[in-house]
Amino acid sequence: MTTNRIAFQGEPGAYSHEACRAARPGMEALPCRTFEDVIEAVRAGEADLAMLPVENSTYGRVADIHHLLPESGLRIIDEAFVRVHISLLAVPGTTLDQVREAMSHTVLLGQCRGFLRRHDIHAVTGADTAGSAKEVASRGNPSLAALAAPLAAEIYGLDRLADQIEDRQNNTTRFLIMSRQADMSRRSDRMLTSFVFRVRNIPAALYKAMGGFATNGVNMTKLESYMVDGVFTATQFYADIEGHPDDANVARALDELGYFTSTLDVLGVYPADPLRESQRRGA
């Protein structure tokens, strides 16, 4: 059974909602309260896909998401890079000089310090970006604006007083699109494989485990560690590598990794987002 829905965390108009529209424009976006609710919506068949943010180029890893991925039972089928463009939103008819306060998530407020300072606008912490836009619309006070995605203006009937006001123009969030089933059939010039593993309790196990990727010419684009169940001695690693498990060099590297790990779980095989390559070139 298919629903043609893609689930995301947050209010309508959130950046995750914007990512859904950009990556899957033909699907209905389903808002969920938490990341766990997003995963459960897909597992329960209420949605076909999940859109989950994993890292931001300015603020790093999204908290707790790497704990959820291997436990979700879902598989990564795509990645989506979304540029974070921030707009100042206000009730219709408001002019920029009327705005005295701007509400948003604390992370977004920190990305617009220069603009707020230049216009003498005081930052007000809100629950999230789209929720702040919703709050501004409900209050109807022209002195209070919201910092959010342009999509939020469309949804909540607000005017965009200024666009792309973020301090860093290259601020980008990486999302993973997840499904109930893996898709190993696709091929492109740049494939990625994501997996989690735990090394065996032997000396230099991680060093030996990583050696197979170097000797087989496999590029590892990400390696992160995190504790399991709050125990300092139990560490799990999350990794992204370039290539497909059916590639001879990747197969050899993963086979060698298996000698030094107690668990190894491939989370997904998927094409690289085109923006990844442009960022590599410095575009």
Side-chain angles (χ1 to χ4, degrees):
M1 183 185 72
T2 60
T3 65
N4 201 37
R5 288 178 178 170
I6 181 168
F8 70 94
Q9 186 275 326
E11 295 275 0
Y15 284 97
S16 292
H17 187 185
E18 193 171 66
C20 292
R21 276 199 173 186
R24 293 294 190 274
M27 299 186 75
E28 177 189 352
L30 176 67
C32 298
R33 189 175 61 86
T34 66
F35 292 138
E36 290 89 346
D37 291 341
V38 172
I39 292 168
E40 185 54 35
V42 178
R43 292 171 60 175
E46 297 171 6
D48 298 323
L49 302 176
M51 178 70 75
L52 294 170
V54 290
E55 57 193 324
N56 177 267
S57 60
T58 301
Y59 287 90
R61 184 170 69 187
V62 175
D64 296 332
I65 198 68
H66 287 75
H67 290 278
L68 296 175
L69 294 182
E71 298 171 0
S72 69
L74 306 182
R75 290 295 177 258
I76 305 165
I77 62 165
D78 266 315
E79 67 172 355
F81 281 38
V82 176
R83 287 271 171 82
V84 179
H85 291 310
I86 304 172
S87 296
L88 184 73
L89 313 180
V91 294
T94 301
T95 58
L96 181 57
D97 60 354
Q98 289 179 279
V99 177
R100 295 290 175 264
E101 295 180 321
M103 176 185 292
S104 193
H105 189 280
T106 181
V107 169
L108 217 67
L109 292 172
Q111 297 177 24
C112 300
R113 289 193 182 98
F115 177 87
L116 298 179
R117 185 169 53 250
R118 287 193 301 274
H119 294 277
D120 195 26
I121 297 174
H122 177 66
V124 177
T125 301
D128 55 47
T129 59
S132 295
K134 185 177 182 180
E135 178 75 10
V136 166
S138 67
R139 290 193 190 184
N141 180 0
S143 69
L144 177 65
L147 298 173
L151 176 60
E154 173 189 330
I155 290 175
Y156 299 109
L158 299 174
D159 285 352
R160 288 159 51 183
L161 304 186
D163 291 320
Q164 298 188 27
I165 61 175
E166 57 273 11
D167 294 333
R168 297 186 181 184
Q169 293 300 312
N170 65 344
N171 191 2
T172 304
T173 298
R174 179 190 180 215
F175 292 84
L176 295 178
I177 302 174
M178 305 190 73
S179 173
R180 288 184 293 275
Q181 290 85 33
D183 185 355
M184 304 280 285
S185 63
R186 290 169 301 165
R187 283 288 191 165
S188 71
D189 292 339
R190 301 244 359 251
M191 295 296 293
L192 296 173
T193 299
S194 297
F195 54 93
V196 291
F197 64 95
R198 297 187 198 181
V199 294
R200 293 168 55 197
N201 188 21
I202 58 176
L206 180 60
Y207 173 78
K208 295 173 182 176
M210 294 296 96
F213 296 98
T215 57
N216 287 287
V218 177
N219 186 32
M220 181 170 287
T221 61
K222 177 171 291 296
L223 178 65
E224 292 187 336
S225 65
Y226 52 97
M227 288 188 300
V228 180
D229 299 326
V231 179
F232 285 101
T233 55
T235 302
Q236 187 153 278
F237 294 88
Y238 171 94
D240 294 332
I241 59 172
E242 293 181 349
H244 192 290
D246 291 341
D247 298 339
N249 63 331
V250 174
R252 288 193 299 269
L254 290 174
D255 187 54
E256 190 167 336
L257 176 65
Y259 285 110
F260 303 103
T261 58
S262 57
T263 62
L264 172 60
D265 184 16
V266 175
L267 298 179
V269 181
Y270 49 97
D273 187 282
L275 189 56
R276 177 184 287 270
E277 183 59 27
S278 67
Q279 289 193 341
R280 181 201 294 264
R281 296 194 304 265

